[in-house]
Amino acid sequence: MAQAYDILIENFRQLVPISDQEAEIIKGTFVVKKLNKKELLLSKGDLSNHMRFVADGCLKVYSIGEKDMEHILQFGISGWWINDLYAYLTETPSELFIQAITPSTVLQIHRDRLNKLYDEIPMVDRFFRIKTQHGYVALQNRTIRTMSQTAEERYVKFISDYREMEQQIPQYMIAAFIGVTPEHLSAIRKKMSL
Amino acid sequence: MAQAYDILIENFRQLVPISDQEAEIIKGTFVVKKLNKKELLLSKGDLSNHMRFVADGCLKVYSIGEKDMEHILQFGISGWWINDLYAYLTETPSELFIQAITPSTVLQIHRDRLNKLYDEIPMVDRFFRIKTQHGYVALQNRTIRTMSQTAEERYVKFISDYREMEQQIPQYMIAAFIGVTPEHLSAIRKKMSL
DNA sequence: GTACGTTCTTAAGATACCTTAATGCTTTCG
DNA sequence: CGAAAGCATTAAGGTATCTTAAGAACGTAC
């Protein structure tokens, strides 16, 4: 499927100028990884040696806390970048899991290759600066909402933000994302529909 | 006080190589801003046209929600970068406030000048990529803790993380940072000391 | 040095959310 | 098709945290 690479290059070009020649170099540095439903892309204890781009499907990044409770940090569909950035940057064993919710296609670049690419194509450096800044801003908004809004308000916000994903994501994962139990989310939905 | 600029350059050199010549260029792009205790560096509704580096003192970044409740997103002391990054990147009016907790010295660079600097010195681009990645990771860890820990656990973690700031920061601001009311934090501390 | 603003504490009652446990509805798959 | 697994719901009782209101301790300014 050559199309996965087209989605990747398009993703770069939304933020920085990339020549056709550079595009070919970039394509050559990413490797396709196909995942079945529920297949793990990263487990706690693994090293995270790649930056990862979702070309197709839907995945979740999560940690497991006390009593096997899942806390979902991020969902990712086509066009999103997903990783345990801390494990990637520090080269230490990951504390997180990444799992495919639906059959998915991911493009991966190894850290060593990416570090070289930063020098070969400075716009790649800039691309990841801007991408990370956007990610930081999104996380900061989530932090504010967690502190200032009720579970019901966070749920309504989730539905409007993730309209395109909502179909593919079971309710208990939405609960694990907004920070409530599945039982409580069920109660919220019941109350809302009245 | 020329020392403020030395702290800035040292901050760059912790992450990327900067020649002495480049250091002089960078120094020339930042302007010193002194703040009195409680003085506002940014208010809701303002445009945020600068990237900001704390050389001295202590500041807070916060939003004001329902019932004039403060939600603190970040504290900053010497060596930290603080901003409303969303307002800065989108050039839209800020939703946040930045205020000096103690008399402070901040170094600021205007967006237009920084964008030029990215082209003149690619290592500046790289510096902000890495800085933002670190900030993203820190925020993500905070997100996990907010979802998985009790207020008491978050308070203990705060005390160990911010040992050097704790003196300068009143308790009710720590409460506004970890996401509880001042009354409840007071109760937590009482319980802990028994 | 008195007065005012700021910060912290205390305590009672209210509420949002959790825990547990049971039930039924889907979807999956041999 | 039938069994098992996965998922959503319901309800009762429990706990963490908030709200409100009051007062104490502290610093700071005139």
Side-chain angles (χ1 to χ4, degrees):
Chain A
M1 194 205 268
Q3 210 188 338
Y5 286 103
D6 296 335
I7 298 171
L8 175 71
I9 297 304
E10 165 61 17
N11 195 258
F12 274 91
R13 286 184 168 152
Q14 280 170 11
L15 292 182
V16 295
I18 298 287
S19 72
D20 290 350
Q21 196 187 345
E22 287 167 337
E24 289 308 312
I25 295 175
I26 292 171
K27 286 181 187 176
T29 62
F30 280 81
V31 175
V32 174
K33 170 102 182 173
K34 294 254 182 191
L35 296 153
N36 297 319
K37 184 171 177 174
K38 301 209 175 170
E39 193 175 340
L40 284 161
L41 180 57
L42 184 80
S43 289
K44 179 169 179 172
D46 292 352
L47 293 176
S48 182
N49 292 317
H50 299 82
M51 278 297 216
R52 305 178 158 102
F53 176 78
V54 182
D56 192 45
C58 184
L59 300 94
K60 59 176 172 175
V61 182
Y62 61 103
S63 73
I64 295 187
E66 304 271 301
K67 203 214 127 198
D68 293 340
M69 184 106 172
E70 260 187 43
H71 303 289
I72 297 182
L73 286 164
Q74 193 194 341
F75 293 110
I77 57 169
S78 182
W80 292 55
W81 292 82
I82 54 167
N83 207 354
D84 177 353
L85 195 59
Y86 181 75
Y88 174 87
L89 293 173
T90 60
E91 303 192 37
T92 55
S94 178
E95 294 293 321
L96 306 180
F97 298 83
I98 304 178
Q99 188 183 35
I101 296 174
T102 64
S104 301
T105 305
V106 174
L107 292 177
Q108 304 193 111
I109 181 172
H110 193 278
R111 180 188 321 83
D112 296 339
R113 191 65 195 85
L114 178 56
N115 283 335
K116 272 188 247 167
L117 203 57
Y118 285 146
D119 291 325
E120 295 166 23
I121 307 176
M123 281 300 150
V124 170
D125 220 323
R126 178 166 303 179
F127 172 81
F128 281 105
R129 168 176 60 77
I130 298 172
K131 263 294 172 207
T132 312
Q133 285 176 337
H134 290 354
Y136 182 88
V137 163
L139 245 189
Q140 190 165 274
N141 285 331
R142 182 175 173 185
T143 300
I144 295 176
R145 283 198 299 273
T146 301
M147 290 201 289
S148 62
Q149 299 188 326
T150 64
E152 176 171 343
E153 288 168 327
R154 297 198 304 274
Y155 175 65
V156 169
K157 174 72 173 159
F158 178 89
I159 295 301
S160 84
D161 279 1
Y162 291 78
R163 221 169 312 112
E164 26 176 2
M165 294 194 210
E166 202 207 331
Q167 319 301 332
Q168 318 177 52
I169 302 177
Q171 232 106 74
Y172 77 90
M173 289 190 198
I174 297 179
F177 182 86
I178 65 175
V180 295
T181 57
E183 294 84 355
H184 190 230
L185 180 54
S186 181
I188 287 169
R189 285 165 49 82
K190 183 183 180 187
K191 185 183 148 230
M192 280 173 62
S193 64
L194 301 185
Chain B
M1 194 205 267
Q3 211 188 338
Y5 286 103
D6 297 335
I7 298 170
L8 175 71
I9 298 302
E10 165 61 18
N11 194 257
F12 274 92
R13 286 184 167 152
Q14 280 170 11
L15 292 182
V16 295
I18 297 287
S19 72
D20 289 350
Q21 195 187 346
E22 287 167 337
E24 289 309 313
I25 295 174
I26 292 171
K27 286 180 187 177
T29 62
F30 280 81
V31 175
V32 174
K33 170 103 184 175
K34 295 253 183 191
L35 296 153
N36 298 319
K37 185 172 176 173
K38 302 209 175 172
E39 191 175 342
L40 284 162
L41 180 58
L42 184 79
S43 289
K44 178 170 179 172
D46 291 352
L47 293 175
S48 181
N49 292 317
H50 299 81
M51 278 297 217
R52 305 178 158 102
F53 176 78
V54 182
D56 192 45
C58 184
L59 301 94
K60 59 176 172 173
V61 182
Y62 60 103
S63 73
I64 296 187
E66 303 271 303
K67 202 213 126 195
D68 293 340
M69 183 105 172
E70 260 186 45
H71 303 289
I72 298 182
L73 286 165
Q74 193 195 342
F75 293 111
I77 58 170
S78 182
W80 293 55
W81 292 81
I82 54 167
N83 207 354
D84 177 352
L85 196 58
Y86 180 76
Y88 174 87
L89 293 173
T90 61
E91 303 191 39
T92 55
S94 177
E95 294 293 321
L96 305 179
F97 299 82
I98 303 178
Q99 189 184 35
I101 296 174
T102 64
S104 303
T105 306
V106 174
L107 292 176
Q108 305 192 111
I109 181 172
H110 193 278
R111 180 181 27 254
D112 296 340
R113 191 66 194 82
L114 179 55
N115 284 335
K116 271 187 248 168
L117 204 56
Y118 286 144
D119 291 325
E120 295 166 22
I121 308 176
M123 281 301 151
V124 171
D125 221 322
R126 178 166 304 179
F127 173 81
F128 281 106
R129 167 175 61 77
I130 297 171
K131 264 294 171 208
T132 313
Q133 286 176 337
H134 291 354
Y136 181 88
V137 164
L139 245 189
Q140 189 166 275
N141 285 331
R142 182 175 175 186
T143 301
I144 294 176
R145 284 198 297 274
T146 302
M147 289 202 287
S148 62
Q149 300 188 327
T150 64
E152 176 171 345
E153 288 168 326
R154 297 198 303 272
Y155 176 64
V156 169
K157 173 72 174 161
F158 178 89
I159 296 301
S160 85
D161 280 1
Y162 291 77
R163 218 170 313 111
E164 28 176 0
M165 293 192 212
E166 201 207 331
Q167 318 302 331
Q168 317 178 53
I169 301 176
Q171 233 107 70
Y172 76 90
M173 288 189 198
I174 297 178
F177 182 86
I178 64 175
V180 295
T181 57
E183 293 85 356
H184 187 53
L185 179 54
S186 180
I188 287 169
R189 285 165 51 81
K190 184 183 181 187
K191 184 183 148 230
M192 282 174 62
S193 64
L194 300 185

